[in-house]
Amino acid sequence: MKKAKFLFIIAMWAVIACNNDKTQTITIDGKYALTVPESMKQAKGLNEDASLQYQDASKEMYVIVIDETKKSFDSIISAYSLYDVYKPDLEGYSQLVINGIDPSVTIDTTSGFQDTKINGLNARRTTIEGSSSGFGIYWKFAFLEGKKNFYQVMTWTTKDRKEKNEKQMEDIITSFKEADKSIR
């Protein structure tokens, strides 16, 4: 009987320890919300255009969100006469961003785009494995179309931590929600 109680306590402790993935939801300027692991802390310097930057340096896991109005994206397409190459829609937006990846990044493999929905928003997703500054990196991207904005959610980690971090990276991306304020 004591052995059964002991095993039960050990089993319960293991379940609690495995489910100890506390999260925090960050809302940015009333535009959108994103849920990240509690271990992630606000960062600076990951990307100067990002409206959200969080990292967990000990897990080598990072996330940024870049948001821009559809109107500003259309202005860029127009100003550079890119309508023949990029349409002013989610497909054009996602393709322009991926094509604009810094040339110092070496891309080894990409999953290609998958069209989907994330919390009711049209989205395009892709993954990329490659290297930057000599480090193997694994990126997960989601491009989302809101009422007035396009959003990029980019998470990344080192290649050797891909399997450990992939579930949390996926959870971050699928947590994205456009706030009601942004659609007025």
Side-chain angles (χ1 to χ4, degrees):
M1 186 68 141
K2 286 183 182 181
K3 186 176 180 180
K5 283 183 184 180
F6 177 74
L7 291 175
F8 177 76
I9 290 169
I10 295 294
M12 290 305 295
W13 177 80
V15 168
I16 290 168
C18 290
N19 290 327
N20 201 14
D21 295 335
K22 293 183 180 178
T23 60
Q24 57 185 323
T25 299
I26 297 103
T27 302
I28 301 296
D29 300 329
K31 291 181 193 173
Y32 64 88
L34 192 75
T35 301
V36 300
E38 197 173 73
S39 62
M40 295 188 97
K41 304 300 177 204
Q42 190 170 12
K44 294 184 189 232
L46 297 177
N47 184 299
E48 65 185 39
D49 296 324
S51 54
L52 177 143
Q53 302 180 65
Y54 273 73
Q55 68 181 17
D56 182 337
S58 67
K59 289 183 179 178
E60 296 184 83
M61 188 169 64
Y62 308 87
V63 61
I64 64 169
V65 176
I66 298 173
D67 60 275
E68 49 198 316
T69 66
K70 290 179 179 181
K71 194 175 194 175
S72 69
F73 175 64
D74 189 45
S75 295
I76 291 168
I77 299 296
S78 177
Y80 293 98
S81 301
L82 297 173
Y83 282 112
D84 291 341
V85 181
Y86 303 106
K87 302 292 182 227
D89 59 11
L90 181 61
E91 183 178 341
Y93 178 74
S94 59
Q95 197 62 57
L96 177 68
V97 171
I98 292 298
N99 289 347
I101 289 177
D102 189 320
S104 68
V105 171
T106 302
I107 297 174
D108 298 328
T109 61
T110 179
S111 66
F113 284 107
Q114 294 90 39
D115 294 327
T116 189
K117 287 208 181 257
I118 296 176
N119 292 312
L121 298 177
N122 289 330
R124 298 188 86 211
R125 301 178 55 162
T126 190
T127 60
I128 295 175
E129 288 192 48
S131 59
S132 178
S133 303
F135 294 99
I137 308 291
Y138 174 69
W139 292 271
K140 287 179 87 74
F141 290 87
F143 301 93
L144 301 104
E145 181 177 11
K147 294 289 183 186
K148 295 181 181 178
N149 298 309
F150 286 117
Y151 304 93
Q152 302 171 45
V153 180
M154 178 174 44
T155 63
W156 69 96
T157 190
T158 57
K159 276 187 188 178
D160 63 329
R161 292 187 181 236
K162 173 185 172 183
E163 287 185 26
K164 273 187 170 175
N165 292 337
E166 188 157 25
K167 168 113 175 54
Q168 286 186 319
M169 293 167 70
E170 180 68 18
D171 291 346
I172 291 168
I173 286 174
T174 58
S175 76
F176 184 93
K177 291 182 182 163
E178 188 173 50
D180 290 339
K181 183 177 178 183
S182 68
I183 59 175
R184 290 186 184 136

